[in-house]
Amino acid sequence: MNIKKSPFLACVLLACALCSCSGRKETQKGPAKKIENADSLLRIAVMPTLDCLPIYVAHERGWFDEERIPLRPVRYTAQMDCDTALLRGRVEGAATDLVRAHRLQLDGLALRYATATNLSWQLYSHRAARIKTISQLADKMVGMTRHSATHLLAQNMVDSAKPKSEVFNIQINDVNIRQKMLLGNEIDAAFLPEPQASAARRAGHSLLMDTREKDLRLGVIVFRNDGAHRRKVSRALPLFLKVYNRACDSINLRGFASYADVLAKYYRLSPSELSHLSIPRYMRTSAPREQDLRCARNFQSH
């Protein structure tokens, strides 16, 4: 059929093309079948990282609905996209790190720190590079994200290990692409959170750094604290934290196997991959520590 002679078919093909080119964001409406009130809807930007698992679990099990919190996780694969959504008011909250949160505040965004999280990072080098120590990263490419906790870690490692020549920090914002580039030997090393770090471990790549072995807690959940957002967040936050604690307690008690369906849906992990996960113990809600806040404030990115 000649497309030029069929305007209807041309329109259909154009619509399909536009849908296929949509961005990385995926909005999850969850299991609840109800009309959400825009005035009370609480949207939170989340990532395919294990620090967000309590939010996914609570959402999928309907625990936010039980407390009458109309919450919608909005999924991204790059923290920069989470920041943009927060700045433009597309979401009220985000799972992020203290370095990024501090930068948003410097940009004039009023934020409320809801709770610290167990977000961590591991630095892996590709096994073909035969890199065993951080000092061997001289003249090598390291995948990270600028103006983030991984930027701080990259700078600190260079300051402490003092490689003989420059380490090239390569900005790769999408955490899944960063993982694929390391596994495909397109970069020499990369900072990865879980579960992306588990994929590097299963593939036999070399672990150079694990922030869980350092006294650093840079993960955080933040909410906007300005204008109409302030009232909405203030009303919902106590119940949000209650449900978040319930999810953390449940994951700690029952283990990942009880939430295999959630991990498959949001992280695309198979049962065999689940067995290789490095399982964190989820902290109940707590304010970020002053030493971690100071670390983020003192970091000067260039």
Side-chain angles (χ1 to χ4, degrees):
M1 181 183 293
N2 189 334
I3 294 178
K4 294 181 180 179
K5 295 181 180 180
S6 178
F8 174 74
L9 179 57
C11 290
V12 170
L13 292 175
L14 178 60
C16 291
L18 290 174
C19 290
S20 68
C21 294
S22 59
R24 297 169 186 153
K25 181 184 75 172
E26 296 179 48
T27 301
Q28 289 296 319
K29 295 182 180 179
K33 305 294 183 182
K34 64 180 182 181
I35 298 175
E36 296 166 326
N37 185 339
D39 291 336
S40 60
L41 178 63
L42 200 66
R43 297 156 300 185
I44 182 167
V46 288
M47 294 274 289
T49 51
L50 286 187
D51 56 302
C52 295
L53 182 59
I55 296 173
Y56 292 138
V57 165
H59 180 62
E60 285 297 312
R61 296 299 186 259
W63 296 341
F64 289 119
D65 294 336
E66 289 179 17
E67 297 293 341
R68 298 186 176 276
I69 307 174
L71 181 138
R72 183 190 300 170
V74 184
R75 297 160 64 188
Y76 297 90
T77 54
Q79 195 61 57
M80 183 175 292
D81 294 335
C82 293
D83 292 353
T84 300
L86 199 59
L87 279 167
R88 296 183 179 176
R90 297 172 185 162
V91 296
E92 284 72 42
T96 185
D97 66 62
L98 291 174
V99 176
R100 300 197 72 88
H102 179 59
R103 184 172 178 84
L104 288 171
Q105 290 175 306
L106 291 178
D107 288 340
L109 184 62
L111 291 178
R112 182 170 181 173
Y113 291 171
T115 181
T117 70
N118 66 328
L119 178 61
S120 63
W121 296 266
Q122 296 167 49
L123 176 63
Y124 277 91
S125 63
H126 194 278
R127 61 178 183 269
R130 299 181 180 179
I131 296 170
K132 301 301 181 183
T133 65
I134 291 174
S135 61
Q136 293 176 308
L137 288 172
D139 292 323
K140 303 299 183 182
M141 296 185 295
V142 178
M144 43 72 79
T145 301
R146 291 187 66 216
H147 312 307
S148 74
T150 58
H151 196 172
L152 179 152
L153 293 168
Q155 185 167 302
N156 286 354
M157 76 175 186
V158 169
D159 291 343
S160 60
K162 300 186 184 330
K164 293 181 179 180
S165 54
E166 185 177 0
V167 176
F168 299 100
N169 292 325
I170 309 300
Q171 177 162 310
I172 308 169
N173 294 317
D174 188 304
V175 67
N176 290 330
I177 292 177
R178 197 185 312 158
Q179 172 197 319
K180 290 177 182 177
M181 289 184 69
L182 175 70
L183 299 185
N185 200 16
E186 298 176 62
I187 52 176
D188 301 299
F191 283 98
L192 299 173
E194 289 288 2
Q196 290 77 20
S198 288
R201 184 167 54 255
R202 290 195 308 273
H205 300 299
S206 302
L207 176 64
L208 304 180
M209 175 196 293
D210 189 339
T211 60
R212 292 171 300 182
E213 298 175 356
K214 302 178 180 293
D215 192 19
L216 280 175
R217 300 178 190 172
L218 297 176
V220 68
I221 294 175
V222 299
F223 287 94
R224 288 187 61 141
N225 194 33
D226 57 349
H229 300 285
R230 182 187 293 114
R231 184 172 62 179
K232 183 191 297 188
V233 169
S234 295
R235 187 166 55 238
L237 189 56
L239 293 175
F240 171 85
L241 296 177
K242 175 184 176 182
V243 174
Y244 183 90
N245 279 335
R246 178 181 176 182
C248 289
D249 292 344
S250 183
I251 297 168
N252 291 337
L253 178 65
R254 302 179 64 189
F256 278 11
S258 296
Y259 297 107
D261 59 321
V262 180
L263 288 156
K265 177 177 180 178
Y266 290 95
Y267 301 92
R268 300 179 182 178
L269 294 174
S270 67
S272 62
E273 289 172 328
L274 289 181
S275 65
H276 291 91
L277 274 183
S278 179
I279 303 175
R281 181 162 186 84
Y282 286 91
M283 302 184 301
R284 297 185 112 239
T285 54
S286 61
R289 302 179 306 176
E290 178 56 35
Q291 67 194 70
D292 299 314
L293 290 167
R294 185 168 57 250
C295 181
R297 288 194 299 262
N298 291 342
F299 172 61
Q300 298 294 323
S301 59
H302 302 289

